[in-house]
Amino acid sequence: MNGNLIELDYIDLVISSGLIIVAGLISILLGLKIGKRLLLVSIRTVLQLGLVGLILKQVFAMAHPLPVAGLLFIMTIFAAREAVARTKRRYKGIYLDGWLAMTLSCLVVGGVVTQGVVGVQPWFSPRYVIPLLGMILGNSLTGVALGLDRFLQSLDANREQIELLVVFGASRSEALRDLRAEAVRTGLIPIMNSMAAAGIVSLPGMMTGQILAGSPPLQAVAYQIVVMFMIAAADAVGAMIAVMKASTRVMDSQAKLV
Amino acid sequence: MNKEFFFCGPARIPVGDRLVLEAEVTLGPGELVVLTGQSGSGKTSLLKAIAAISSAWCEKRIVLGRDMSSGSLPVWRSRVVLLAQDAPMLRDTLEHNLSFPFHLKNTGKKVFEKEKAESLLRKMGISASLQQDAGSLSGGERHRAALVRGILFDPPVLLADEPFSGSDPENKAACFNVLREHVKRGDRAVLVVLHDRELLEKADRILMIRENRLVAV
């Protein structure tokens, strides 16, 4: 980023792995029996991030929109899988809906941020587009997962009340209005908590990263504000799309529960 | 009998594992008709089919002389209202529970009248205030409150599934009289599932589900 950046080499990484060994020793001393799992997830972290680093290096080098789009497409598929995996109740087509919610929120919010706010040049510049959209995906994943889970669970818990509205002639949107609102609200709780605590309880990850990479603190703050608003919008858009799609799956257009 | 006031049929309703109840229901204006039959014979399923909230429903649907067979089901339901057997309530005050149907899009210009609601509640032996939480009502009161909700909403056809459950004979008689008053206006009809012999006798007609057929008694 600039001349202040202290580069990490392989020796630094080996030293940092000593920290994991400390955690492993604690596990052995206290009989936590998580030593093996700790070792496995550490290896997984190194392999996954190493792989991502290699892929990003290639994509950055190619400087073409197609590899960027391809990588983002794969990321949306994994994000959708992860979001749906966190819901307890499923329905047919839930993966497709999760993917759609993720992709649309990513495109809408990511489009506004990269093209409108940051003004990335060229428009697909992987150095900006991939991390920003990755952050949008990672966070709208939370919104989608929480929103969907809440919606489907309250649907089961409130079936009688929904039918009560239906027998008096409620349309689908009338019958599910309160449930939808509650579900989207639930999807937004984590980001609202983060926004309220930002800078006071913790320094958000991206800002910390930028400061470490040598950015002036005020620039890092500006980026972090954009990121916070972007995440809130992505959460809201993702949760809303997922819940709207789910409501058309669980109740037909004639307001009959399926 | 005026077939044009209300007709719903034919409905093919699965009862148990294999048997199918085939039924057509016709109601005339001002009629209070009782539906009876053994437990498990398909009474609730038939009412749900008429109200179009189950997978089985009537191919031909007429209410107030209008053929609504191809129309929207929510509009049909706003005219043919089912009072479900378990008398569900929203987690809110009694007033909200009685007034919510008036705020639905398909309701049109009907207005919730608080005084009428209070008077009907008293008539049906419910002493709770409108501001009280509906969850605090006893089982019998909840059923009667659901009946008050239906009568206040005043649809052309009311389908009531055991609306007097949990009520003592005195309250049952009072509620039956309110239903009788309701249909007296002439352009209203009620189909009610009942088992009480003395009330059955006061109905205009009795329909019975017997051996998977709907028959007049």
Side-chain angles (χ1 to χ4, degrees):
Chain A
M1 197 161 272
N2 61 37
N4 297 332
L5 178 62
I6 304 169
E7 290 205 4
L8 296 181
D9 54 25
Y10 292 111
I11 296 167
D12 298 322
L13 291 178
V14 170
I15 296 171
S16 78
S17 64
L19 298 170
I20 278 295
I21 293 171
V22 171
L25 282 177
I26 291 173
S27 161
I28 294 167
L29 280 175
L30 301 180
L32 302 178
K33 292 179 182 164
I34 54 162
K36 203 174 156 190
R37 185 160 159 68
L38 199 62
L39 181 70
L40 281 175
V41 293
S42 304
I43 294 172
R44 223 181 124 168
T45 305
V46 173
L47 287 179
Q48 279 175 194
L49 291 178
L51 192 66
V52 168
L54 289 175
I55 294 173
L56 286 180
K57 198 179 163 193
Q58 289 300 316
V59 173
F60 281 26
M62 278 189 266
H64 192 278
L66 263 184
V68 177
L71 189 61
L72 288 174
F73 177 70
I74 294 168
M75 283 158 74
T76 55
I77 289 178
F78 277 101
R81 229 186 92 207
E82 189 61 31
V84 173
R86 293 183 196 180
T87 59
K88 288 188 189 74
R89 185 190 186 278
R90 310 274 165 84
Y91 60 83
K92 208 179 157 197
I94 192 169
Y95 283 99
L96 184 65
D97 290 354
W99 178 79
L100 201 70
M102 224 56 105
T103 307
L104 286 178
S105 71
C106 188
L107 285 180
V108 171
V109 180
V112 171
V113 172
T114 59
Q115 309 309 311
V117 182
V118 183
V120 173
Q121 286 295 339
W123 65 269
F124 60 88
S125 171
R127 207 185 113 202
Y128 288 94
V129 171
I130 293 174
L132 284 171
L133 266 63
M135 256 187 287
I136 297 176
L137 276 178
N139 285 280
S140 79
L141 185 158
T142 313
V144 168
L146 286 175
L148 257 186
D149 193 45
R150 178 58 182 249
F151 178 72
L152 294 171
Q153 286 205 46
S154 35
L155 185 80
D156 285 339
N158 296 288
R159 220 180 157 86
E160 276 194 343
Q161 281 74 21
I162 296 166
E163 258 181 13
L164 174 62
L165 297 171
V166 170
V167 293
F168 279 90
S171 63
R172 174 167 62 193
S173 65
E174 286 172 324
L176 298 177
R177 184 183 295 146
D178 289 355
L179 253 62
R180 283 171 173 172
E182 184 58 36
V184 176
R185 198 177 301 138
T186 305
L188 280 171
I189 288 173
I191 180 62
M192 294 211 292
N193 289 341
S194 305
M195 284 167 86
I200 300 171
V201 182
S202 66
L203 286 185
M206 181 191 173
M207 191 171 121
T208 315
Q210 275 203 315
I211 293 174
L212 283 176
S215 282
L218 284 180
Q219 246 325 281
V221 165
Y223 262 94
Q224 190 58 50
I225 290 172
V226 171
V227 165
M228 284 292 199
F229 290 171
M230 170 183 95
I231 291 173
D235 259 1
V237 173
M240 190 189 70
I241 295 173
V243 167
M244 295 301 258
K245 283 296 290 172
S247 52
T248 62
R249 304 270 190 178
V250 297
M251 187 177 258
D252 68 16
S253 60
Q254 298 285 322
K256 203 181 285 186
L257 281 167
V258 240
Chain B
M1 197 176 307
N2 182 359
K3 191 172 177 172
E4 289 307 299
F5 178 74
F6 175 82
F7 175 81
C8 188
R12 282 171 57 86
I13 299 145
V15 183
D17 288 339
R18 264 177 296 161
L19 299 172
V20 172
L21 161 70
E22 281 201 23
E24 284 185 0
V25 175
T26 306
L27 299 172
E31 263 199 323
L32 198 169
V33 178
V34 165
L35 175 63
T36 190
Q38 284 183 336
S39 136
S41 58
K43 302 182 293 294
T44 296
S45 302
L46 176 60
L47 292 193
K48 283 186 172 179
I50 297 173
I53 61 160
S54 63
S55 52
W57 76 85
C58 303
E59 277 167 34
K60 188 166 182 158
R61 299 186 300 273
I62 296 173
V63 68
L64 286 176
R66 250 188 79 195
D67 189 337
M68 297 184 72
S69 313
S70 54
S72 124
L73 293 181
V75 173
W76 166 259
R77 293 185 198 113
S78 69
R79 313 240 192 312
V80 182
V81 170
L82 170 68
L83 306 180
Q85 195 174 28
D86 32 21
M89 290 283 154
L90 302 177
R91 291 178 198 95
D92 210 316
T93 59
L94 186 52
E95 179 167 351
H96 180 72
N97 266 283
L98 299 181
S99 62
F100 80 80
F102 293 88
H103 306 305
L104 298 173
K105 202 176 57 203
N106 285 324
T107 299
K109 289 177 186 159
K110 286 185 194 177
V111 181
F112 174 69
E113 292 171 54
K114 209 167 166 176
E115 282 162 19
K116 197 173 168 191
E118 278 167 339
S119 139
L120 265 174
L121 286 170
R122 304 292 163 263
K123 250 188 202 173
M124 297 213 201
I126 301 169
S127 53
S129 82
L130 282 174
Q131 294 319 310
Q132 208 165 310
D133 188 345
S136 66
L137 299 174
S138 73
E141 282 176 329
R142 201 179 73 238
H143 277 87
R144 298 200 296 280
L147 191 56
V148 170
R149 174 164 57 205
I151 289 173
L152 276 176
F153 188 62
D154 194 25
V157 176
L158 254 187
L159 310 166
D161 198 351
E162 303 198 34
F164 312 145
S165 288
S167 298
D168 57 35
E170 200 180 317
N171 277 325
K172 281 184 186 179
C175 292
F176 192 87
N177 287 338
V178 171
L179 277 180
R180 170 60 72 208
E181 289 284 315
H182 173 72
V183 293
K184 231 186 205 171
R185 291 171 38 194
D187 54 353
R188 297 288 178 266
V190 171
L191 179 62
V192 54
V193 173
L194 283 182
H195 297 291
D196 311 69
R197 191 172 290 270
E198 62 277 22
L199 294 178
L200 282 178
E201 286 163 4
K202 292 183 184 170
D204 295 323
R205 271 193 302 139
I206 300 173
L207 296 173
M208 186 179 228
I209 300 178
R210 194 189 283 154
E211 292 165 0
N212 295 315
R213 290 186 58 201
L214 185 65
V215 292
V217 180

